[in-house]
Amino acid sequence: MSDAAITTPTRTAAFEARLKKRYASERRFKLMGLGATLFAVAVLIFLLVSMTMNGLPGFKRAELQVPIDLTNAALSVNPDVQQQSAIERSLFAQGLPDIVEFSAQQSLGDDGAQHINSEAWRVVAQRIAADPSLIGRETVFWLPTGEDLATAFAGDGKTDLVPIANELAEQGLLEDRFDPGFMMRSDATDPQLAGIWGALKGSMLTMIVTLALAFPIGALAALYLEEYAPKNRWTDIVEISINNLAAVPSIIFGLLGLAVFLTIFPNLRSAPLIGGMTLALMTMPVIVISGRNAIKAVPQSIRDGALAVGASPIQVVFHHVLPLALPGILTGTIIGMARALGETAPLLLIGMRAFVASPPDGFFDNATVLPMQIFLWSDEIDRGFVERTSATIIVLLIFLLLMNGLAIYLRNRFEKRW
């Protein structure tokens, strides 16, 4: 073919216009994607900053400075008694609340002393239980105020106690101090005495039950459906049912737990065992679906190679396929557990919204969880509970990050490449 027969393509004006239009469309698409990403990051930052600003005061409480002279107090602590609750009861019987009240009147006057919290003596009792040598000397204690004075000190402005609060603050006798007991106490009707240890421990116990049931059953179900189950109509029905269960509203699982688990175990209402079993039902379909996808992603050559060197079918599955699919299964577990940790609707129906004044001792005791504690406190109109609610949300987010971080570490730890 001669050179004259080869024609050079021409770039017409219409072609240039279409090319320019395509490039402009691509630029707009990139800008929209960047804008969506920046918007999502901005919303996340706004959420974290606002929650932190609102929640930090929840880790503090208003406290009054009271020097208490225990030199001549007829108090004693039995060295053989180790339980703090028993020591507190003993000190209460010996008149410690009266000693605290008298000391408050001496240092704060009648107007200030009447705003000491009625349970303030427990702070002194706990200090004495931790250090019995306090008996016999004068010590300065910071004791929680009553709810009304704390509200006035926070600047609510709706109470006539604001001048008293300002006067005590100017004298250095009233301060907002960090409250480590917030993480160690359980629920209370007074925000000055409320804590989240009961709910936090309940969440831990409930998540342990959920993980112990959902993960092995979900992973084994995924292995069976993908590796062993025959392809027939019955298997298709099971697969469709699992896919539908993953999309069922969580409150339906609460109804199932109410109808089944509480019928079988009527005395375990609001126990972490029942809560964990209910949430395991909700989490299991997610683990099964993600597990099947992870198992399906393992190359067939891995199975063939294992069989070729003499491995049995069961060894192929558990020695080769499962370890390679485990990171994908853990990914589904992370998603399911994160969803379960923030659920309230299923737990409402099985009674885990009860007022629990003491932390559970085990899986069979009455308990509540952090999301439920947030739900209960959010209905309170007291300013102190509003701050406590935000602080509890921060703790819940930290708990979620730690749990997910551990799961991600395990996923990366077991990840293998081929």
Side-chain angles (χ1 to χ4, degrees), residues 187 196 199-200 202-203 206 270 279 340-356 367-379 389 392-393 396:
D187 198 5
I196 63 169
L200 181 59
S203 289
T206 302
S270 78
L279 294 179
L341 179 61
E343 283 293 340
T344 56
L347 304 181
L348 278 171
L349 296 177
I350 62 172
M352 294 193 75
R353 62 163 297 164
F355 178 84
V356 180
T368 187
V369 292
L370 286 175
M372 194 61 62
Q373 191 70 76
I374 294 170
F375 172 77
L376 294 175
W377 283 353
S378 64
D379 284 342
T389 300
T392 307
I393 293 174
L396 176 61

Side-chain angles (χ1 to χ4, degrees), residues 7 14 20 28 33 73 78 204 230 318 341 395:
T7 59
K20 185 178 180 180
R28 286 195 300 270
N78 188 347
M204 292 178 181
F318 285 95
L341 179 61
V395 175

Side-chain angles (χ1 to χ4, degrees), residues 380-394:
E380 301 287 344
I381 60 174
D382 189 281
R383 177 191 178 102
F385 277 116
V386 174
E387 295 174 346
R388 295 294 197 187
T389 300
S390 299
T392 307
I393 293 174
I394 293 176

Side-chain angles (χ1 to χ4, degrees), residues 176-328:
D176 263 337
R177 297 172 60 86
F178 177 70
D179 179 22
F182 176 67
M183 300 293 297
M184 304 175 186
R185 297 188 300 267
S186 295
D187 198 5
T189 56
D190 187 344
Q192 287 284 92
L193 304 176
I196 63 169
W197 173 236
L200 181 59
K201 188 175 182 181
S203 289
M204 292 178 181
L205 295 176
T206 302
M207 289 298 102
I208 290 173
V209 174
T210 302
L211 182 62
L213 292 176
F215 178 71
I217 296 177
L220 292 175
L223 278 174
Y224 174 78
L225 290 173
E226 198 61 35
E227 296 290 331
Y228 297 106
K231 304 302 179 183
N232 52 31
R233 181 173 298 180
W234 170 248
T235 306
D236 294 338
I237 293 175
V238 172
E239 292 178 0
I240 294 173
S241 300
I242 292 174
N243 292 331
N244 289 335
L245 284 175
V248 167
S250 59
I251 196 169
I252 304 300
F253 292 98
L255 290 171
L256 181 61
L258 177 64
V260 178
F261 298 141
L262 287 183
T263 301
I264 301 175
F265 308 105
N267 296 327
L268 296 181
R269 188 178 186 87
S270 78
L273 177 64
I274 301 300
M277 293 167 66
T278 304
L279 294 179
L281 290 177
M282 184 189 69
T283 306
M284 209 178 304
V286 178
I287 298 177
V288 173
I289 293 173
S290 62
R292 291 192 64 190
N293 292 331
I295 294 169
K296 193 180 300 184
V298 177
Q300 183 61 35
S301 58
I302 299 293
R303 299 173 176 84
D304 296 338
L307 291 171
V309 297
S312 65
I314 196 73
Q315 288 176 328
V316 171
V317 171
F318 285 95
H319 293 180
H320 300 276
V321 176
L322 182 59
L324 293 175
L326 190 58

Side-chain angles (χ1 to χ4, degrees), residues 59-109:
F59 292 99
K60 299 179 179 180
R61 68 176 177 181
E63 296 181 348
L64 286 165
Q65 184 186 58
V66 179
I68 300 179
D69 189 0
L70 299 176
T71 304
N72 299 318
L75 299 177
S76 62
V77 175
N78 188 347
D80 297 331
V81 178
Q82 300 296 329
Q83 290 186 345
Q84 181 173 303
S85 59
I87 296 176
E88 290 182 11
R89 289 193 298 268
S90 174
L91 292 173
F92 176 82
Q94 296 176 55
L96 180 60
D98 296 332
I99 296 175
V100 172
E101 182 179 358
F102 175 77
S103 300
Q105 291 175 347
Q106 293 294 313
S107 59
L108 303 175

